[in-house]
Amino acid sequence: MSRTRRRLVISGALVGVAALMLAGVALVARWEASSAAPTDLERLGRYGTVPAFALTERAGRPVTDRDLRGLVWVADFIYTECTETCPTQSLEFAQLQREFAADADFRLVSITVDPAHDTPAELRSYAERYGATERWLFLTGDKRAIYCLAGEGFRLAVVDPRSAEPPECGGTSWLGPAAAWASHGSQGLVMHSARFVLVDRSGGIRAYHLATDPASLMRLGDNVRQLLRARPVEERG
């Protein structure tokens, strides 16, 4: 092979390698952009309304959906013996509590999916572990009521393998997005969603965010700030 032809071959090979590298960079950039983009459920929308409920807070006082009207709040489902996503969920709630400490109209609501074990006393101990203030509510109560609230009200998965049959919740006309499901198990106990649910001042479900996704949690903070800036419906002209 002549020297000139060898140079052409080498040059062509280098060009090919460079093209492959550029294509790879472009693919990575597109993947990062898509992975960083919010899902439809993370965008502020209208995914239903929190139904009426009546549960018991860790302090022993009753809490209903009406007690949260006029407030912006984030709900999640946990239980105190959970060793998988629940600690992450509660650590992220503790961060949200610090981030929005100056916002009097903001609340956090953690609802146990193991109410037989998670008495108000158990929830008080758990709350102390994460430095929860009075603005972070921990709710327990009737298991059927909680499971129906999670599944039909918030559209989040909850399954207790120890139960012979799931609770009967009756019919529902709730038309929220079925894509809000994400479950995990812990020591063979309760499986439940690891999503946070953002609720507005009128009880409207506005967004879902994954507790284990830092980018999703950043978008949650932005959504909370936007809802806090909005005037309550009854004040709008």
Side-chain angles (χ1 to χ4, degrees), residues 27 45 140:
L27 284 172
T140 188

Side-chain angles (χ1 to χ4, degrees), residues 25-147:
V25 169
L27 284 172
V28 169
R30 282 198 296 272
W31 178 84
E32 288 180 342
S34 63
S35 64
T39 67
D40 287 342
L41 295 176
E42 292 174 349
R43 296 186 175 92
L44 284 179
R46 298 196 178 275
Y47 305 110
T49 301
V50 177
F53 67 84
L55 298 171
T56 302
E57 214 276 322
R58 70 184 186 274
R61 63 184 177 89
V63 172
T64 73
D65 58 296
R66 295 185 66 84
D67 294 318
L68 294 164
R69 290 298 175 99
L71 303 171
V72 174
W73 50 289
V74 180
D76 76 342
F77 289 83
I78 61 164
Y79 62 104
T80 61
E81 290 189 315
C82 171
T83 60
E84 294 191 3
T85 68
C86 296
T88 298
Q89 289 173 236
S90 296
L91 285 171
E92 295 299 342
F93 260 33
Q95 174 59 33
L96 286 169
Q97 178 179 253
R98 291 189 293 270
E99 185 175 351
F100 294 98
D103 293 285
D105 291 345
F106 180 69
R107 295 292 185 276
L108 296 160
V109 180
S110 291
I111 305 171
T112 179
V113 292
D114 189 13
H117 177 271
D118 291 344
T119 62
E122 287 287 341
L123 291 176
R124 285 196 298 272
S125 177
Y126 186 86
E128 290 173 3
R129 194 185 313 168
Y130 292 95
T133 70
E134 292 181 355
R135 293 184 185 175
W136 182 354
L137 309 181
F138 289 81
L139 304 183
T140 188
D142 177 73
K143 182 175 182 178
R144 177 184 175 278
I146 289 172
Y147 279 47

